[in-house]
Amino acid sequence: MKRIKLFLAAFFVAALTLCIGTAGLDTQGKSGLVVVLDAGHGGYDYGASENGLYEKALTLKLAKHCKEELEKYQGVKVYLTRSSDRYVSLDQRVEAASDWKADVFVSLHINSAPTASAQGVEVFYPNSNYRPSVSVKGRRLAEQIRRNLVAMGLKNRGLKVLNSGVSRYADGSAADYYAVIRGSKKAGFPGIIVEHGFLTNMSDVRNFLKNDASLKRMGVADAKGIAACYGLTKSDGPSDGLTKTKLTKLVGKASSSVSLEWEEVKGANGYEIYRSASKDGTYQKIADIDKFSIVSFRDTSVTRGKTYYYKVRPYKISENKKKTPGFSAAQKVRLLKKPMIAVKAQPASRMKVTWKKVSGATKYEVFRSSSPNGAFQKIATVKGASSYKDIGLKQNAQYYYKVRAVGTGVQGKTYSSYSAVKGKAAK
Ligand SMILES: [Zn+2]
């Protein structure tokens, strides 16, 4: 990947606004381009607020729409610096991007001005100091996004560079004014700030900011700008012929095991399974199954009590590259901790089995056997209680119990592992 980029750098110098790039999954499935989308502001930092709209909410919508669109392309990994309404400092945003090994950082904002007439799009990119190649790359992307937003009807305010009057780069040159642009450059990748219209301008509000449909169009325009700049191609091109799959089953099989099933996709060479700890979080590939006929997987590298999201995509290998129509919808499963139980012999040959409630469980199954390692039989399903009274037993006989928690899943039930076996003699 990197080598090809260096090779292409010669072209970039010759034609600054010509966007060429590299993309595509290699056969190891490592994604090529890492894009970090940064929804400006959040939490107690509202950003601009005008006309009943809050910048922090609009930028989050833009980021999510942009991510959704961008993930339709091959060979790209997209991260959000925040995926909910929370405060993240500017330094934290760039640090996270650096940890994710970002190739580019795109900060999404909405403008405001003291004069109501100011309107349209402007994009800030890194100055040419310190690391000129970062500036070149940032400008290329800024230009592509600016062009797409202007094509939607936003007024063109152009590309901009803003220097800090105080801050300097390591070589003594004037640093970029904006912290995320400056921080990104220090970390070695371009950071740009896209200002999507003005909250203080009635025309921008009416045409672009007030409704979700136009926010989505802007997010998509940003994504298409990124895709064009880096030469990404859409996964669901007609050449693939593959269709997406669908998770048909997702359940916890035991406290630390998840079982998945999905629809077979004709023509696929295999499937990639991705998992995340949150719906809009970072999905990581956990398995690559290289047979189209295998449509199930058991994930045993999970932690009890946690919630996981899964999605699956089929792929076809052609010319040494993976082509995929994209991911199935993500589905959620919550793993159940195994119950802790106690068994108490009660008068009249009764046994009381009690357990601590398991978070996420909807009911409990109680099993009994006459020996600790013998065959256990399910004797009760208990809903809304955390104990069970077993009656009509034989005096002095030994009874052994175990309990498992039951929860919901996709097209099936989620089960915890069995509790430890506890036994007593009946009184
Ligand atoms: Zn802002």
Side-chain angles (χ1 to χ4, degrees), residues 374-393:
F376 277 81
Q377 283 195 324
K378 185 161 87 179
I379 53 163
T381 301
V382 178
K383 218 171 166 176
S386 49
S387 68
Y388 175 71
K389 212 171 261 187
D390 195 10
I391 59 172
L393 302 170

Side-chain angles (χ1 to χ4, degrees), residues 267-282:
N269 291 120
Y271 306 91
E272 288 180 338
I273 298 162
Y274 280 72
R275 187 185 74 199
S276 171
S278 65
K279 189 161 195 275
D280 297 316
T282 303

Side-chain angles (χ1 to χ4, degrees), residues 41 47 55 109-110 195:
H41 313 279
E55 184 184 356
H109 286 256
I110 318 281
E195 297 279 2

Side-chain angles (χ1 to χ4, degrees), residues 40-41 45-48 55-56 59 108-112 193 195:
H41 313 279
D45 172 12
Y46 281 66
E55 184 184 356
K56 65 170 186 174
T59 58
L108 308 174
H109 286 256
I110 318 281
N111 232 328
S112 66
I193 295 177
E195 297 279 2

Side-chain angles (χ1 to χ4, degrees), residues 139-411:
R139 189 183 194 286
R140 283 196 299 119
L141 177 59
E143 168 57 17
Q144 196 73 54
I145 290 177
R146 180 204 63 80
R147 203 185 291 171
N148 286 2
L149 290 170
V150 169
M152 273 182 63
L154 282 125
K155 190 170 170 244
N156 179 24
R157 300 171 62 86
L159 302 185
K160 299 187 173 179
V161 159
L162 191 59
N163 288 341
S164 163
V166 203
S167 181
R168 308 249 138 209
Y169 285 119
D171 64 358
S173 62
D176 287 280
Y177 171 78
Y178 288 112
V180 292
I181 296 181
R182 182 172 67 240
S184 294
K185 189 189 276 179
K186 286 181 183 171
F189 47 85
I192 67 168
I193 295 177
V194 186
E195 297 279 2
H196 301 76
F198 284 71
L199 273 173
T200 39
N201 179 266
M202 285 320 288
S203 159
D204 277 357
V205 167
R206 197 172 47 241
N207 296 324
F208 302 107
L209 304 172
K210 218 172 67 180
N211 65 77
D212 277 355
S214 42
L215 287 170
K216 180 170 182 177
R217 283 174 65 219
M218 289 199 289
V220 168
D222 293 339
K224 288 190 166 158
I226 296 166
C229 191
Y230 290 94
L232 302 176
T233 51
K234 261 198 178 160
S235 320
D236 51 358
S239 60
D240 300 339
L242 296 183
T243 55
K244 289 184 186 179
T245 184
K246 192 169 111 185
L247 278 166
T248 51
K249 194 168 189 178
L250 181 64
V251 295
K253 273 282 191 199
S255 294
S256 48
S257 166
V258 172
S259 173
L260 298 83
E261 286 173 23
W262 56 91
E263 277 174 2
E264 184 180 302
V265 175
K266 294 268 177 286
N269 291 120
Y271 306 91
E272 288 180 338
I273 298 162
Y274 280 72
R275 187 185 74 199
S276 171
S278 65
K279 189 161 195 275
D280 297 316
T282 303
Y283 284 81
Q284 280 186 332
K285 191 168 81 169
I286 55 157
D288 187 331
I289 291 162
D290 59 359
K291 259 205 180 97
F292 84 96
S293 56
I294 296 180
V295 288
S296 65
F297 178 72
R298 192 161 179 160
D299 183 10
T300 52
S301 59
V302 284
T303 307
R304 57 195 58 201
K306 292 222 161 142
T307 298
Y308 293 96
Y309 292 79
Y310 289 86
K311 52 189 188 180
V312 176
R313 61 180 182 187
Y315 63 81
K316 186 153 101 177
I317 296 172
S318 72
E319 289 160 355
N320 246 4
K321 287 215 168 144
K322 275 184 174 173
K323 299 206 166 199
T324 169
F327 286 108
S328 66
Q331 298 279 11
K332 167 175 131 172
V333 64
R334 178 173 184 179
L335 289 173
L336 304 173
K337 289 186 177 166
K338 71 175 172 187
M340 309 269 284
I341 72 164
V343 172
K344 210 171 164 183
Q346 294 189 328
S349 296
R350 294 172 173 211
M351 237 20 134
K352 192 178 183 190
V353 186
T354 55
W355 55 88
K356 250 176 81 178
K357 278 216 165 97
V358 171
S359 161
T362 54
K363 52 190 175 186
Y364 300 87
E365 292 177 343
V366 183
F367 296 79
R368 185 184 68 202
S369 174
S370 54
S371 80
N373 304 313
F376 277 81
Q377 283 195 324
K378 185 161 87 179
I379 53 163
T381 301
V382 178
K383 218 171 166 176
S386 49
S387 68
Y388 175 71
K389 212 171 261 187
D390 195 10
I391 59 172
L393 302 170
K394 269 188 222 145
Q395 208 173 7
N396 298 326
Q398 284 282 341
Y399 293 97
Y400 296 88
Y401 296 88
K402 62 184 184 182
V403 174
R404 67 176 175 179
V406 186
T408 53
V410 175
Q411 295 293 318

